[in-house]
Amino acid sequence: MELGVCFYPEHWPEMNLLEEFQTMRDMGIQHVRMGEFSWTKLEPTSGCYNFNWLDEAMDAASYCGLKVTLGTPTATPPSWLIQKFPEVLSRDSQGRIRKFGSRRHYCFSNSKYCEESSRILHQIAKRYAFHPALFAWQTDNEYGCHNTVLSYSEAAKEGFQKWLETKYSTIERLNRAWGNIFWSMEFSSFNHIELPNMTVTEANPSHSLDFQRYSSDMVREYNQMQVKILKSYNSEIPIQHNYMGHFTQFDHFDVGQDLDFATWDSYPLGFLEQEPYPEEIKQTYYRTGHPDFAAFHHDLYRAVGRGRFWIMEQQSGPVNWAPVNPIPLQGMIKLWAFEALFHGAEVLSIFRWKQVPFAQEQMHSGLLGVDGKKTKAVEELEEFLRESRQLNISTDAKGPRIALIFDYPSCWIHDLEPKACGFNYFQLIFDFYTVLRELGQNVDIISKEDSFESYQAIFCPALVGINESFIHKVQRSEVKIFAGPRTGSKTKDFRIPHNLGPGVLQDILPMKVSRSESLRHSVKIAVESADFYGHSYREVIETDLDPILSFEDGLGCLFERNSNFYLGSVLNQRGLKEVCRLFLNRTEIETIDLPRGTRTRQLDPYLLMTNYGPEVSLFQPENYARILGNPQLEPGQISVYKKL
Ligand code: GAL
């Protein structure tokens, strides 16, 4: 894994670039990302280009042997462009314009914006596609950041109507698919269809789901337009986009199909504060970040990047944008780097090189302070480089045998119809991931379209919209599945399946979810002879199978057939861990119990141990010899073991 930094030469006109780049090189940095917000500097007024500054930066980078990732500047359309084409601005769900003055103010459906983006892209690609420093392209920056995938503009409405016509061909078909006979919502023409905002009460969920799908497709089309232009100049230069943490407004697996690899932006402490974790979790991990958040996204984006990913932006000190912004615990920069390495990242690029003294992010730290002095993060990165060089990491080390399916359309469906206030698809998947890591497992995150062949066990909670091909894939492989709650409970058109949940899964798990209920926040229903409970949501399951666990009121909770499991409720963390352990042991996968905050990640023949928790960790893996770190793992520290 190589190191990189995000750097903005346009912020530092006085800077001696050669000196600066040489300092980076001396620290062991090999990559630099530039350009992604620089449209006004590249084109100060419409049609007048100025590339001198970027030529200089590219040449200096090349001279110093740095590999450049060049970002296209389309996340920040300039003021002159907005004056000329005000219609490119997006609109929020209340129909209000999202004004110029920060970033990401464009609407993906606007054709004028696509033309303008394409124009600047041609200029940049023509000039730099064969520059010796150019290593990769980045399209735009963080699609959807600041809640910008859905736009309720005129352009979006027209685009949506056309998209629907292509999908359904006739208006009768659309009316049937959405169930528009309900509340007299039938349309007589595609031109009459509005966007699903500002309705009196909730809009038809099928209407909202299609608008979500349309908006996701618009992100994909916009990205495809950029990819096509960049590739047309030099098809050898790989292209990526930097995705975000916990972001589900477009289908990343779709966008990932058009790119060469994936990258993502990892801010563990910022995310901890933003996520709806209980206060106790936030308090425990406030200087380390949640022990599974970065790991989860490394696994997710490795799948999105079809096996290849980088961290494009890595937190290196306090950020400016979370409700509170602490300094990371000493050791965390190194720990995050090791976590990335052991998840297969090719490059870890730090945000940002130097803290900037002006504008929105002046309180965001960098590797260098405003005064140019190195921060603590530099030492830790140097330590990481020194220590990781002692390992002989191979990219074809054996992968894990456990997979967890993450599905964007399922997320949209459950977000539109949570049924229970405590039910959240992302949280549910993340909870499974957490308990599996607590049980010492390596987990792959995969899409439902991926092959199941190499897996022994697959978890697919709340996966909906599945069809027979999913079942065939399960039946053709040796894999055992863990399903529920809610798996198979909806068709892809957002309907209850005619044979009820788990729908097509009934071939594998002969049962019917005849009813379901959601529960008040304070209600906890104990599981018989166990010290855990169900909450938020439960299903009533009709089946000839005997439950292997039941609730105290007699309702079946967990069912099994041929080592395939179905869970009919949301359980507390302890309960989820126990049922996952039961399932893994049934599929002959060994589990261990890691102490709070301790995690392991295997990359044969090595095992990484990390301590995100507040206590010293005394855990010692069996049949391994320690080659890095101490036997007693202090908070924020790592150790590496090698198989005996
Ligand atoms: C990211 C973004 C960067 C910068 C950073 C600050 O979301 O891509 O441009 O704003 O956050 O943490």
Side-chain angles (χ1 to χ4, degrees):
M1 188 177 80
E2 298 180 330
L3 296 184
V5 283
C6 303
F7 176 58
Y8 301 91
E10 68 275 24
H11 297 175
W12 314 97
E14 313 293 323
M15 194 179 254
N16 180 334
L17 286 176
L18 282 174
E19 243 172 50
E20 211 70 15
F21 286 157
Q22 199 46 55
T23 315
M24 292 178 193
R25 291 293 281 148
D26 295 344
M27 280 181 199
I29 288 166
Q30 304 190 44
H31 292 259
V32 60
R33 182 192 64 174
M34 310 192 286
E36 78 276 11
F37 299 119
S38 64
W39 198 333
T40 49
K41 184 89 177 174
L42 290 170
E43 192 183 5
T45 55
S46 182
C48 295
Y49 300 102
N50 165 21
F51 288 107
N52 298 343
W53 68 277
L54 191 52
D55 290 351
E56 264 171 45
M58 293 292 285
D59 293 349
S62 168
Y63 182 82
C64 296
L66 280 168
K67 300 177 238 187
V68 175
T69 292
L70 203 52
T72 65
T74 48
T76 47
S79 161
W80 59 255
L81 193 152
I82 302 301
Q83 293 298 325
K84 202 165 162 194
F85 309 112
E87 68 275 23
V88 308
L89 293 173
S90 62
R91 285 186 183 255
D92 72 6
S93 62
Q94 297 305 302
R96 295 172 301 210
I97 287 179
R98 305 193 81 183
K99 294 200 292 185
F100 178 85
S102 62
R103 61 178 171 182
R104 299 220 55 79
H105 35 286
Y106 69 86
C107 170
F108 282 100
S109 298
N110 189 276
S111 55
K112 186 46 85 183
Y113 194 60
C114 291
E115 276 170 35
E116 285 294 291
S117 305
S118 140
R119 193 176 50 71
I120 188 74
L121 254 90
H122 276 291
Q123 296 291 332
I124 296 171
K126 191 161 63 189
R127 195 160 186 103
Y128 299 111
F130 288 95
H131 194 285
L134 184 69
F135 185 79
W137 295 110
Q138 173 176 303
T139 55
D140 203 284
N141 188 78
E142 292 192 341
Y143 289 137
C145 185
H146 317 301
N147 207 10
T148 49
V149 169
L150 302 184
S151 165
Y152 297 85
S153 66
E154 238 353 79
K157 186 169 104 180
E158 283 163 22
F160 183 45
Q161 291 172 346
K162 286 204 192 91
W163 183 91
L164 289 169
E165 196 161 358
T166 309
K167 177 169 178 183
Y168 293 102
S169 312
T170 69
I171 197 70
E172 291 74 24
R173 234 190 245 157
L174 176 142
N175 283 327
R176 259 198 316 278
W178 288 8
N180 279 342
I181 186 67
F182 189 75
W183 287 353
S184 277
M185 291 182 297
E186 285 167 308
F187 295 104
S188 52
S189 158
F190 285 102
N191 300 335
H192 299 169
I193 301 175
E194 289 282 341
L195 297 178
N197 60 328
M198 298 201 291
T199 49
V200 173
T201 180
E202 63 181 309
N204 183 338
S206 303
H207 185 169
S208 301
L209 178 64
D210 265 340
F211 182 55
Q212 178 62 67
R213 285 198 179 111
Y214 160 77
S215 305
S216 177
D217 283 1
M218 287 305 99
V219 175
R220 183 175 187 180
E221 268 184 29
Y222 183 74
N223 186 64
Q224 280 172 335
M225 174 274 288
Q226 295 216 359
V227 168
K228 206 167 149 205
I229 295 171
L230 298 174
K231 286 280 181 199
S232 74
Y233 286 87
N234 182 352
S235 61
E236 303 283 294
I237 303 293
I239 309 179
Q240 55 76 34
H241 176 77
N242 59 330
Y243 306 109
M244 288 180 285
H246 188 171
F247 191 76
T248 55
Q249 282 183 15
F250 64 89
D251 193 324
H252 292 52
F253 288 115
D254 280 352
V255 172
Q257 292 298 317
D258 307 319
L259 294 167
D260 296 297
F261 63 99
T263 72
W264 82 283
D265 299 342
S266 181
Y267 294 94
L269 303 195
F271 292 134
L272 180 93
E273 294 302 334
Q274 271 193 341
E275 289 295 289
Y277 299 129
E279 184 50 33
E280 181 236 324
I281 296 277
K282 293 199 182 193
Q283 177 67 32
T284 306
Y285 299 116
Y286 83 106
R287 287 197 192 278
T288 61
H290 191 290
D292 305 303
F293 196 89
F296 176 90
H297 288 86
H298 295 335
D299 285 327
L300 172 64
Y301 291 126
R302 196 178 57 246
V304 167
R306 288 167 291 132
R308 293 191 56 198
F309 84 104
W310 299 8
I311 291 90
M312 186 52 86
E313 299 179 13
Q314 170 66 57
Q315 176 166 10
S316 59
V319 299
N320 66 306
W321 45 263
V324 286
N325 300 294
I327 295 174
L329 184 68
Q330 184 169 353
M332 287 314 293
I333 309 299
K334 180 175 124 186
L335 185 152
W336 291 329
F338 268 101
E339 190 79 88
L341 169 71
F342 271 73
H343 279 82
E346 294 172 15
V347 173
L348 177 80
S349 151
I350 307 294
F351 191 89
R352 49 185 288 154
W353 173 239
K354 189 171 174 186
Q355 182 170 354
V356 68
F358 47 80
Q360 280 93 328
E361 291 180 357
Q362 52 186 277
M363 296 309 290
H364 195 298
S365 51
L367 277 185
L368 307 187
V370 172
D371 56 2
K373 291 241 167 66
K374 291 180 186 172
T375 63
K376 283 264 179 222
V378 175
E379 266 167 47
E380 290 193 30
L381 287 173
E382 286 171 345
E383 214 174 302
F384 164 76
L385 284 177
R386 259 195 325 274
E387 293 184 1
S388 61
R389 272 193 206 114
Q390 298 172 35
L391 311 176
N392 188 9
I393 300 269
S394 136
T395 43
D396 50 34
K398 220 164 54 231
R401 298 161 302 165
I402 299 176
L404 172 63
I405 296 182
F406 189 83
D407 185 51
Y408 292 89
S410 295
C411 185
W412 302 335
I413 286 181
H414 295 302
D415 283 355
L416 283 164
E417 193 189 56
K419 191 165 163 142
C421 49
F423 191 92
N424 179 280
Y425 178 80
F426 182 89
Q427 193 58 46
L428 183 74
I429 303 293
F430 187 73
D431 286 347
F432 270 85
Y433 184 83
T434 290
V435 300
L436 291 170
R437 291 245 296 168
E438 286 174 349
L439 291 167
Q441 305 303 312
N442 267 22
V443 184
D444 267 0
I445 295 181
I446 61 171
S447 110
K448 63 177 184 295
E449 315 300 339
D450 285 333
S451 158
F452 297 168
E453 292 297 331
S454 50
Y455 297 108
Q456 220 166 318
I458 290 187
F459 292 80
C460 54
L463 178 68
V464 291
I466 40 180
N467 53 24
E468 273 76 21
S469 70
F470 179 88
I471 305 303
H472 295 156
K473 265 204 297 187
V474 175
Q475 286 166 339
R476 274 201 308 272
S477 62
E478 301 275 283
V479 75
K480 297 297 173 193
I481 61 164
F482 186 111
R486 289 202 195 183
T487 307
S489 65
K490 294 282 156 152
T491 66
K492 66 176 181 5
D493 286 336
F494 214 131
R495 285 172 175 244
I496 299 167
H498 64 90
N499 54 348
L500 306 184
V504 290
L505 230 61
Q506 287 171 4
D507 286 352
I508 296 170
L509 289 154
M511 55 173 55
K512 228 182 226 182
V513 177
S514 59
R515 289 211 285 177
S516 62
E517 63 169 352
S518 54
L519 303 168
R520 297 186 61 81
H521 251 318
S522 51
V523 174
K524 298 172 180 169
I525 306 183
V527 173
E528 233 172 27
S529 350
D531 60 352
F532 50 83
Y533 59 86
H535 65 94
S536 302
Y537 173 81
R538 287 202 307 171
E539 293 171 343
V540 178
I541 292 167
E542 284 177 16
T543 177
D544 291 337
L545 303 173
D546 288 330
I548 46 177
L549 284 175
S550 294
F551 288 104
E552 60 183 0
D553 60 4
L555 191 67
C557 167
L558 184 70
F559 298 85
E560 175 195 359
R561 194 204 187 202
N562 294 339
S563 303
N564 294 302
F565 277 44
Y566 189 91
L567 172 67
S569 176
V570 176
L571 299 180
N572 65 335
Q573 201 87 354
R574 183 191 198 99
L576 190 61
K577 190 164 161 181
E578 289 320 309
V579 299
C580 288
R581 190 202 307 274
L582 213 59
F583 171 67
L584 291 176
N585 293 347
R586 204 62 63 94
T587 52
E588 287 167 16
I589 295 173
E590 272 176 43
T591 55
I592 47 172
D593 259 307
L594 292 170
R596 172 166 88 145
T598 300
R599 295 292 186 268
T600 57
R601 172 82 187 171
Q602 240 173 296
L603 196 60
D604 274 347
Y606 302 109
L607 181 104
L608 171 71
M609 241 178 83
T610 44
N611 186 4
Y612 292 84
E615 301 96 20
V616 173
S617 175
L618 301 174
F619 177 79
Q620 300 288 317
E622 279 172 28
N623 304 322
Y624 279 93
R626 189 168 36 81
I627 54 171
L628 284 179
N630 296 320
Q632 301 201 344
L633 208 55
E634 298 284 333
Q637 298 299 310
I638 63 116
S639 52
V640 175
Y641 289 77
K642 190 167 181 192
K643 239 186 204 148
L644 288 171

